[in-house]
Amino acid sequence: MTPLPSEAHPAGPATVRRHNRGLVLTAVAGAPASRAAVAAHTGLTRGTVSSLVDDLLADGMLVEREAPRGGRGRPANPLQLNPSGPCGVGVEIGVDDVGACVADLTGTVRAVRRVPSDHRRHDPAHGLRRAADIVRDVVAEAGLPVAGVRVALPGVVTPDGVLQRAPNLPRWQDVGVAELFGSLVEAPVSATNEADLAALAELWDGQALRDMLFVSGGVGVGAGIVLDGRLFHGAGGRAGELGHVVVDPGGRACTCGGTGCLETVAGVTALLRAAGAADVDELVREPGAALDVAADALGVALAGAVNLLDLPAVVLGGVYARLGDALVERVGAALRARVLARPPVRVLRAAVARDAALRGAAIGVVRELVGAP
Ligand SMILES: [Zn+2]
């Protein structure tokens, strides 16, 4: 006889307390609130709220502000998330640079830095040391205790933080980034795909679209699929490799071993070539033919994705956001011609155009700490 699935277990006291801590923290995340207001908002008893609040004050997660003067009776001190409390650190390993940023408990970015670092030429140990150096810089600048670090990586990342494959970084195959970086920065480290983190930054800090395909355009092209306000990871966390969708089967060889992938036509290297530009700033100033090239290729790849997944919006991020409304209009026209769904899919520029993956990484750490959904 097939065994029944394991029974659901009642939550233990530690789990209940952790859950209730999350309720209190999210209750004050939007605006400062008194203990009484927190109790009313969460449905917890005043005694439970007071005990949790005392712990959270001791842990540096909350601060109690002075009550406004002048009212009648004893005023209640409002509580808020402590901007000097534990922070989240985001790190991004790009193809040719590395960045780090610090977000405080309220989600405010307190320090950002990005420096060149050639990860095609140097091995992972070199890149991670360089990343650890700038983490020390941004943490010193912010002057906050570090709760955790999240690394954004340009490739396929397993849930335990191993970079399995990054076609643009051939030396970074099967690298246990979370573990290696953890020993360099002496903090809990997780690692995730950069486009997924950029999509989350757009969800939390940008246009808050609960269903969207977020496209991150750089040397590589990735996508974050957001369904009902959550990232869609696929069966093994590998969903969103939009850059390796084939748009020109007889086209150029791709770093992945295939030919004619979207990245070979609409990645930054290809766009620089199409525009005859020396760098991204020049490409953005005078895109020329690169605009049509990018729009045509994105139109083909995105129409396939949108027809398959029924997503109402496509958000163009990274270099695509910087290419402006002309690209948005052309991609929109391509999708209207190819997507069956009505009303037509909306195409938008990302609101978080710069450092999106870094922000998503750092804010993700503090959101998890606060217990935000
Ligand atoms: Zn490819």
Side-chain angles (χ1 to χ4, degrees):
M1 188 179 137
T2 314
L4 289 168
S6 63
E7 302 276 327
H9 296 288
T15 308
V16 171
R17 196 160 176 89
R18 195 163 54 240
H19 174 77
N20 289 344
R21 263 171 77 102
L23 290 180
V24 171
L25 290 167
T26 32
V28 303
S34 67
R35 289 168 199 236
V38 170
H41 182 83
T42 57
L44 298 169
T45 66
R46 286 210 189 196
T48 303
V49 168
S50 266
S51 150
L52 290 164
V53 164
D54 288 344
D55 279 1
L56 291 164
L57 288 167
D59 292 349
M61 297 287 288
L62 290 179
V63 280
E64 204 158 23
R65 302 199 316 188
E66 282 288 301
R69 290 160 181 271
R72 289 174 61 192
R74 195 163 69 92
N77 289 344
L79 299 155
Q80 67 173 49
L81 293 176
N82 183 5
S84 303
C87 70
V89 177
V91 173
E92 183 175 9
I93 306 288
V95 173
D96 45 23
D97 67 0
V98 57
C101 104
V102 170
D104 70 23
L105 269 183
T106 71
T108 304
V109 171
R110 300 280 290 267
V112 191
R113 197 155 304 174
R114 197 177 272 281
V115 296
S117 183
D118 188 345
H119 300 132
R120 279 185 275 216
R121 207 155 62 95
H122 295 299
D123 64 9
H126 178 274
L128 293 176
R129 274 198 307 275
R130 198 147 169 78
D133 286 343
I134 66 161
V135 164
R136 274 185 279 278
D137 291 347
V138 289
V139 168
E141 185 184 334
L144 303 174
V146 175
V149 178
R150 189 156 297 169
V151 186
L153 296 166
V156 175
V157 187
T158 65
D160 55 348
V162 175
L163 176 58
Q164 276 188 335
R165 194 165 176 215
N168 288 301
L169 302 180
R171 303 182 72 167
W172 289 65
Q173 192 153 328
D174 293 317
V175 178
V177 171
E179 195 185 334
L180 290 171
F181 203 57
S183 64
L184 290 177
V185 295
E186 289 168 3
V189 175
S190 57
T192 308
N193 172 269
E194 69 82 24
D196 282 350
L197 292 169
L200 289 173
E202 183 67 25
L203 176 68
W204 296 329
D205 260 9
Q207 296 163 96
L209 300 166
R210 293 182 60 79
D211 297 286
M212 66 169 164
L213 183 66
F214 179 91
V215 189
S216 173
V219 173
V221 178
I225 302 161
V226 177
L227 295 170
D228 196 21
R230 287 171 184 275
L231 267 182
F232 172 77
H233 295 282
R238 293 174 286 258
E241 287 298 325
L242 188 73
H244 300 285
V245 168
V246 175
V247 295
D248 179 12
R252 283 176 185 268
C254 180
T255 50
C256 73
T259 50
C261 299
L262 174 65
E263 211 165 284
T264 65
V265 185
V268 159
T269 310
L271 294 182
L272 291 175
R273 193 168 51 231
D279 56 31
V280 171
D281 289 335
E282 195 183 329
L283 168 71
V284 169
R285 252 191 338 267
E286 284 180 54
L291 215 56
D292 283 329
V293 168
D296 288 350
L298 283 167
V300 172
L302 290 172
V306 171
N307 273 324
L308 199 62
L309 294 169
D310 178 23
L311 290 160
V314 167
V315 178
L316 300 179
V319 73
Y320 300 141
R322 296 182 60 196
L323 281 170
D325 292 333
L327 182 67
V328 167
E329 279 162 27
R330 284 176 217 208
V331 171
L335 292 186
R336 279 193 296 280
R338 291 196 175 99
V339 172
L340 302 183
R342 292 288 178 272
V345 57
R346 295 165 70 201
V347 179
L348 304 155
R349 279 166 78 175
V352 184
R354 283 179 193 264
D355 298 323
L358 271 184
R359 285 167 184 267
I363 295 170
V365 171
V366 290
R367 283 180 66 95
E368 212 166 277
L369 205 60
V370 167

